[in-house]
Amino acid sequence: MNCPHAAAQQADSAWAGGTVVIDPMVQDLDGETARLRDAGPLARIELLGVPAWTVTRHAEARQLLVDTRLVKDLDAWGLWQSGAVTHAWPLIGMIDAGRSMFTVDGAEHRRLRTKTSQALTPRRLEAIRPDIERFTEELLDALAEQGKDGVVDLKSVFAQPLPMRVVGMLMGVDEAEHAMLTKRYKAFFSMLTPHDERMALLAELDVFYAALVRERTARPKDDLTSALILAEEGGDPLTEEEVVGNLKAMVAAGHETTIGLILNAVRALLAHPDQLRKVLDGEVSWETVIEETLRWDTPTTHLLMRFATEDIKVGDEVIAKGEGVVISYRVIGRDVEQHGPDADAFDITRPAPIRHMTFGHGPHICPGAALSRVEAGIALPALFGRFPRLLLAVPDKELRKLPVMTQNDLECFPVLLHG
């Protein structure tokens, strides 16, 4: 099993004149989380040399995520307007990724989001549940086969292909293309990928999805791609660019988030065998495991970026017009004011309901949140039902994060299936 450790190329995140420098290599996520939390509800950060604010508390994030003075429009960013930030900045592709429901606000956001939301209703999710269960069993069979003689990577064999199969089915992406898409998204988000290669990957994804849109325009099918093409909201259909932008972002969000959720839940339970026993004995529900995992070890660490269209006062600080704001969901999930003094502890017995905001809040709340929960709600009990003696094959401290600033993702997850 190939599971290399990322090369440590930069120092851990640290204080720099009152600013927390976000480490692109993600060597100390727990330490970075603590430093950001200690910096207050609104913290000054530096992202690869670019200053911004980040919100770290639940209450303040809830307020800002519905504040119409914070927008997704890149042209509202003062550093972009002045030319201090250009397309040469390594993270620009995560902000300027094309027109989609993720990059606009207000009525335009509603127009671009409507068909996606309609395709992910509770009824639709129940209709595809048998497909998710079938995919899960097929992948568990593959896991059993590859792990019968020793160590197997739970990520590459199970946690990664499952959500890609599901989102691929929804979007109408042929399974033969899944490995290619997984590889390209992984390289795009990795901070080890040279900037020019990252931007080329973005262009390649545009070409791929444009071809898919043109094919579905000529021959529609029962999938989300066709639904987006046929969508008309007030007589104004989505353009090809808008459909491509939605697809590109939805496939990314639709599989990356669920990979993190599944692996983080398994990791937490294996590190807390007493809590795992409560789940396996039926004392605590898998739904509770999922919600506590989402709070404690969020799949998304930092969400880039919103921009202030006028001065916004938050506590003792002021976000000045034109400044950028990052939402640090992992820090928000560890907010002691929201979750109590034991917020740093994974505890599936904490009082219900576990009120977190890992999938966002307000108009831009993740449209695939329910899908991710359904997938994890099928995958986790099936995994431990088949392999109740599952164990990590290495000490937990040897697991390494991928060098990705926005997702909380592991390089690999080596396990022994039968202890």
Side-chain angles (χ1 to χ4, degrees):
M1 180 182 64
N2 183 20
C3 186
H5 290 175
Q9 295 189 358
Q10 295 202 20
D12 293 348
S13 62
W15 293 99
T19 297
V20 180
V21 181
I22 304 300
D23 175 20
M25 296 297 110
V26 197
Q27 296 178 70
D28 180 22
L29 188 55
D30 285 341
E32 179 178 282
T33 296
R35 284 187 284 275
L36 286 168
R37 185 173 59 187
D38 291 345
L42 202 64
R44 277 288 190 185
I45 60 172
E46 182 182 305
L47 298 166
L48 300 182
V50 171
W53 290 101
T54 190
V55 58
T56 67
R57 302 276 176 84
H58 183 100
E60 285 79 4
R62 190 176 178 88
Q63 167 193 337
L64 288 172
L65 287 170
V66 296
D67 194 320
T68 57
R69 296 172 296 176
L70 277 180
V71 300
K72 293 294 194 80
D73 184 2
L74 179 62
D75 288 333
W77 193 11
L79 294 177
W80 180 258
Q81 294 171 349
S82 70
V85 171
T86 68
H87 278 110
W89 187 48
L91 297 177
I92 195 63
M94 298 180 192
I95 301 173
D96 188 24
R99 184 175 172 78
S100 75
M101 62 180 169
F102 297 92
T103 59
V104 298
D105 299 285
E108 281 297 278
H109 171 255
R110 290 190 294 274
R111 184 178 73 87
L112 293 177
R113 182 184 172 107
T114 296
K115 275 294 179 182
T116 299
S117 299
Q118 291 174 353
L120 297 175
T121 62
R123 177 180 294 182
R124 175 63 169 157
L125 294 181
E126 279 305 306
I128 66 172
R129 180 179 286 273
D131 294 300
I132 301 174
E133 292 172 343
R134 174 169 55 85
F135 295 156
T136 298
E137 290 304 315
E138 291 173 357
L139 291 170
L140 287 176
D141 289 343
L143 190 69
E145 176 63 25
Q146 294 192 37
K148 64 183 179 181
D149 296 322
V151 178
V152 60
D153 180 15
L154 185 68
K155 178 180 178 179
S156 64
V157 181
F158 181 69
Q160 183 168 273
L162 175 60
M164 180 55 85
R165 280 194 186 184
V166 174
V167 76
M169 175 187 68
L170 284 170
M171 306 296 176
V173 176
D174 192 283
E175 192 168 334
E177 307 285 0
H178 292 181
M180 176 275 293
L181 287 174
T182 298
K183 181 178 180 181
R184 277 166 171 70
Y185 278 112
K186 180 180 178 181
F188 172 75
F189 285 113
S190 174
M191 298 311 302
L192 296 178
T193 302
H195 180 57
D196 57 344
E197 292 183 23
R198 183 180 296 109
M199 299 307 290
L201 286 166
L202 204 60
E204 289 172 14
L205 288 170
D206 283 337
V207 170
F208 172 79
Y209 288 116
L212 176 62
V213 169
R214 290 164 191 162
E215 178 184 333
R216 289 296 187 272
T217 300
R219 291 175 291 278
K221 294 185 177 181
D222 183 21
D223 56 38
L224 182 54
T225 301
S226 300
L228 289 172
I229 294 166
L230 298 172
E232 290 196 23
E233 192 70 15
D236 188 8
L238 275 63
T239 66
E240 179 180 292
E241 178 193 4
E242 291 169 342
V243 177
V244 166
N246 272 4
L247 290 174
K248 185 169 57 179
M250 278 295 295
V251 173
H255 81 280
E256 288 286 351
T257 299
T258 308
I259 294 170
L261 173 54
I262 292 172
L263 291 181
N264 294 346
V266 174
R267 183 180 188 181
L269 290 171
L270 294 184
H272 300 83
D274 56 328
Q275 297 192 49
L276 174 58
R277 177 47 52 194
K278 289 180 183 294
V279 182
L280 297 181
D281 289 346
E283 297 177 32
V284 179
S285 70
W286 284 105
E287 179 183 359
T288 298
V289 171
I290 290 167
E291 296 310 311
E292 176 64 353
T293 302
L294 287 169
R295 177 201 72 80
W296 183 69
D297 203 11
T298 58
T300 300
T301 47
H302 308 292
L303 189 64
L304 315 183
M305 188 182 293
R306 287 170 167 80
F307 311 103
T309 57
E310 59 183 82
D311 291 357
I312 303 172
K313 186 172 175 57
V314 181
D316 296 330
E317 302 285 0
V318 174
I319 304 168
K321 178 181 178 180
E323 290 189 315
V325 179
V326 173
I327 313 297
S328 290
Y329 283 112
R330 193 175 194 271
V331 190
I332 293 166
R334 303 289 185 95
D335 180 7
V336 295
E337 294 186 9
Q338 174 69 16
H339 301 292
D342 65 342
D344 283 328
F346 176 79
D347 182 6
I348 59 174
T349 67
R350 69 176 60 248
I354 302 168
R355 297 191 183 279
H356 61 80
M357 56 194 317
T358 294
F359 287 115
H361 176 65
H364 282 280
I365 191 169
C366 177
L371 175 62
S372 188
R373 286 182 167 106
V374 168
E375 291 179 62
I378 292 171
L380 291 169
L383 173 66
F384 282 99
R386 181 85 73 96
F387 307 112
R389 296 169 56 201
L390 184 77
L391 286 178
L392 260 177
V394 299
D396 182 88
K397 65 182 180 181
E398 292 186 12
L399 295 176
R400 295 290 182 267
K401 299 287 185 183
L402 282 173
V404 177
M405 296 182 73
T406 52
Q407 279 91 48
N408 181 7
D409 199 357
L410 293 164
E411 290 180 353
C412 65
F413 201 93
V415 296
L416 294 167
L417 299 178
H418 304 291

